């Protein structure tokens, strides 16, 4: 299935990314009377052993070995999170920047391609949304990664500057019998 994305699948992926982007917006500040938890990372372990972690405003919920090249320089972190089980996982990072769309896309193409990642798809929609899909180079001792980077359409902030949200989803499929804990899942 490598690189075989039909237009309907890409459109569905784009709509899913928009839905996730809308759902990942930072929550409003709690009223001063409510106690703030000491650990800023929300963690949960499901009954089936699935692990969840989420953090607003920082990258604390990302695994320690999250590829640093996926973090666009000088972009503000809105939220981070991950879900993983014995078969692999999905990590998300939501960024915000005032950089132009072409600069953002050029950064990811140059940076990931320069590290051996394959560009599987680069789709720009009429409404200013761009979706790039990359796959990590195969490595006998590491899991395969796919990164979906969706750059949202521009919107004006209160300061009249044009901003874009960037949703990054990094998926990992652990080889059969080689499931890794979240701390080592991302080289």
């Amino acid at each position: 299935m490598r690189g075989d994305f039909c237009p309907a699948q890409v459109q569905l992926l784009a709509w899913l990314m928009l839905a996730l982007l809308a759902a990942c917006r930072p929550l409003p500040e709690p009223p001063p009377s409510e106690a703030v938890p000491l650990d800023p990372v929300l963690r949960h372990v499901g009954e089936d052993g699935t692990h969840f972690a989420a953090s607003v405003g920082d990258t604390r919920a990302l695994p320690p070995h999250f590829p640093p090249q996926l973090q666009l320089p000088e972009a503000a972190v809105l939220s981070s999170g991950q879900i993983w089980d014995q078969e692999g996982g999905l990590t998300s990072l939501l960024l915000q920047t005032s950089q132009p769309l072409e600069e953002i896309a050029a950064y990811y193409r140059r940076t990931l391609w320069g590290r051996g990642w394959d560009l599987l798809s680069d789709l720009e929609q009429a409404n200013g949304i761009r979706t790039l899909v990359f796959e990590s180079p195969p490595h006998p001792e590491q899991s395969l990664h796919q990164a979906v980077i969706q750059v949202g359409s521009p919107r004006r902030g209160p300061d009249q500057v044009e901003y874009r949200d960037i949703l990054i989803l990094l998926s990992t499929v652990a080889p059969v019998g080689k499931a890794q804990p979240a701390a080592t899942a991302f080289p």
Side-chain angles (χ1 to χ4, degrees):
M1 183 169 141
R2 185 173 195 168
D4 294 335
F5 291 100
C6 73
Q9 288 174 319
V10 173
Q11 184 66 31
L12 177 61
L13 181 62
W15 285 111
L16 288 172
M17 294 303 133
L18 284 176
L20 283 170
L21 188 64
C24 292
R25 292 280 184 188
L27 300 173
E29 292 291 325
S33 62
E34 292 182 23
V36 177
L38 296 175
D39 184 2
V41 179
L42 302 173
R43 300 174 194 279
H44 175 72
V45 178
E47 291 178 12
D48 62 353
T50 302
H51 294 255
F52 302 88
S55 182
V56 175
D58 57 41
T59 60
R60 293 182 199 192
L62 297 180
H65 298 97
F66 183 82
Q69 62 269 22
L70 291 178
Q71 296 183 36
L72 182 71
E74 299 179 25
V77 176
L78 299 179
S79 66
S80 63
Q82 64 174 317
I83 178 173
W84 73 95
D85 61 17
Q86 67 277 5
E87 296 177 3
L90 180 71
T91 303
S92 67
L93 179 62
L94 183 60
L95 305 171
Q96 184 178 73
T97 185
S98 60
Q99 296 177 36
L101 176 64
E102 282 307 316
E103 284 182 24
I104 297 166
Y107 166 81
Y108 284 112
R109 283 193 307 264
R110 179 181 63 248
T111 304
L112 293 177
W113 185 79
R115 287 175 171 75
W117 291 61
D118 289 328
L119 177 62
L120 302 179
S121 176
D122 184 350
L123 177 68
E124 186 172 356
Q125 296 174 298
N127 56 3
I129 295 173
R130 187 162 201 168
T131 304
L132 299 116
V133 180
F134 291 92
E135 187 170 81
S136 66
H139 192 281
E141 297 175 13
Q142 295 176 356
S143 300
L144 186 65
H145 303 292
Q146 272 197 348
V148 176
I149 301 165
Q150 185 165 53
V151 183
S153 55
R155 60 179 165 52
R156 292 220 180 266
D159 54 1
Q160 296 305 310
V161 173
E162 202 170 76
Y163 290 96
R164 292 180 182 273
D165 290 341
I166 303 169
L167 176 63
I168 300 165
L169 296 174
L170 181 68
S171 65
T172 304
V173 177
V176 176
K178 293 192 176 194
Q180 301 170 332
T184 61
F186 300 99

